Amino acid sequence: MKHTDPFLLAGVIGYPIMHSRSPMMHNYWLEKNKLVGRYVPLAIQAQHLEGALRGLHPLGFSGCNVTIPHKQACIPFLDELSPSAKAMGAVSCIHVRQDGSLFGTNNDSLGFIKNLKSSNPTWRADAGPITVIGAGGGSRAVCYGLIQEGAKEIRLLNRSLEKAQALASSLGPQIKPLPWSQLNESLNGVKTLVNTTSLGMVGQAALEIDLSDLAKDALVTDIIYIPLETDLLKLAKARGNPITNGLGMLLHQGPPAWKIWFGIEPEVTEELRTLLEKSIPAQ
Ligand code: ATR
């Protein structure tokens, strides 16, 4: 069945979902590209995930993004995975193909790396050890991207060590799992520090960390974008470290999704970034 209705539909599947700035970003691009359509937030609870995914084709969706808590859970309901989604064990973007089959891919690692490179043009993943905090779905994309970029040593700390060990065994020997109690000392000699946990996000507890052992030129980044500056980023900025927030990761994983859904790569403009920034409360 091929849809001939010119009204384009895409969305983001997650729960909760209303905090997401994806709809604002994608609807901006629909308007800029003079396309008739809508990108909608889809609040889908776990028990309805399969039904929601099966409904995408009959409803005429070109595809959707997938966010917390469905990035891993959606995999059994998809017909094919890209090599990157397979390697990460997580999906961030689904394409509804014309025959109704569902193709899952993951653009989070591309978005993460592009964000770091565009805000810090001299940054290199192979410049030295990297500490990554957290071992969930976000961390899988971050670690995959860092390894693709040539990272040689990723010190991975997670509250539950087993999850960090599982991530290391699926992604590669560059990842060195360490117990949570070694968080502060793991910063010794690192060139990049990444937080992928939900600690520091609006409504969540703060990440408790002592940056004394971190070199002042190490880049500190958080994949959280609400608030734009987490306590970790504030702490790093106050001692002179370069920082990058998580908004660019959201912005830069958008164009590859559009390429799959609509065959167009929209532009990440300053106007769009400012629009999103203005919509995020200061804290
Ligand atoms: P996502 O897909 O966004 O990465 P997730 O898979 O639920 O979400 O992962 C959340 C991450 O934040 C995990 O690393 C989690 O640690 P556990 O694996 O031990 O659960 C981490 N996290 C969440 N709350 C935390 C807390 N209070 N203290 C430490 N780590 C926490």
Side-chain angles (χ1 to χ4, degrees):
M1 184 171 70
K2 185 174 184 302
H3 284 279
T4 49
D5 194 317
F7 193 88
L8 298 174
L9 270 174
V12 55
I13 287 189
Y15 198 87
I17 200 62
M18 291 318 290
H19 66 281
S20 171
R21 294 306 189 270
S22 287
M24 187 177 267
M25 173 172 87
H26 289 280
N27 287 320
Y28 168 92
W29 281 328
L30 283 166
E31 208 172 294
K32 281 279 161 194
N33 286 278
K34 300 193 172 22
L35 295 172
V36 181
R38 207 71 193 151
Y39 181 103
V40 290
L42 297 163
I44 307 297
Q45 295 190 26
Q47 68 271 27
H48 298 306
L49 180 61
E50 180 176 7
L53 293 173
R54 303 248 178 262
L56 290 174
H57 179 61
L59 287 168
F61 275 73
S62 301
C64 67
N65 286 121
V66 184
T67 190
I68 298 170
H70 303 316
K71 286 188 187 202
Q72 286 161 288
C74 68
I75 291 178
F77 312 122
L78 306 180
D79 298 288
E80 195 185 333
L81 293 185
S82 70
S84 63
K86 216 179 268 178
M88 285 180 240
V91 163
S92 74
C93 176
I94 295 173
H95 178 213
V96 181
R97 295 188 289 206
Q98 284 194 352
D99 64 0
S101 62
L102 301 176
F103 174 74
T105 187
N106 197 317
N107 302 318
D108 285 345
S109 62
L110 289 176
F112 172 72
I113 297 294
K114 196 137 191 213
N115 183 32
L116 287 197
K117 285 186 170 173
S118 58
S119 49
N120 312 270
T122 59
W123 175 84
R124 291 181 61 98
D126 59 1
I130 298 170
T131 286
V132 173
I133 311 169
S139 176
R140 282 182 169 267
V142 164
C143 291
Y144 178 84
L146 290 171
I147 291 171
Q148 294 288 104
E149 286 294 310
K152 295 187 182 73
E153 181 187 341
I154 299 174
R155 300 171 186 169
L156 184 63
L157 294 106
N158 196 52
R159 177 175 55 179
S160 42
L161 182 61
E162 318 80 64
K163 225 159 126 186
Q165 286 163 337
L167 199 156
S169 58
S170 63
L171 286 187
Q174 298 91 335
I175 299 179
K176 320 278 183 217
L178 291 172
W180 190 249
S181 57
Q182 287 179 25
L183 176 58
N184 296 337
E185 52 200 276
S186 80
L187 305 178
N188 209 317
V190 306
K191 297 286 185 194
T192 309
L193 167 62
V194 190
N195 176 45
T196 73
T197 71
S198 45
L199 296 172
M201 195 186 286
V202 67
Q204 306 282 328
L207 171 67
E208 280 178 33
I209 190 166
D210 179 348
L211 300 182
S212 306
D213 285 348
L214 186 70
K216 293 268 168 69
D217 62 350
L219 173 65
V220 180
T221 184
D222 207 315
I223 70 170
I224 292 169
Y225 64 87
I226 304 178
L228 285 169
E229 262 185 26
T230 57
D231 286 348
L232 170 66
L233 295 187
K234 281 190 186 133
L235 192 63
K237 190 166 143 185
R239 64 196 292 281
N241 287 88
I243 60 165
T244 297
N245 70 36
L247 187 62
M249 179 172 171
L250 172 76
L251 287 162
H252 289 291
Q253 55 76 39
W258 262 59
K259 196 163 181 203
I260 307 180
W261 300 332
F262 308 132
I264 300 170
E265 264 191 277
E267 234 189 302
V268 174
T269 58
E270 273 314 303
E271 183 188 57
L272 172 59
R273 182 186 286 273
T274 307
L275 183 76
L276 297 188
E277 277 174 0
K278 280 195 178 149
S279 77
I280 297 171
Q283 180 117 31

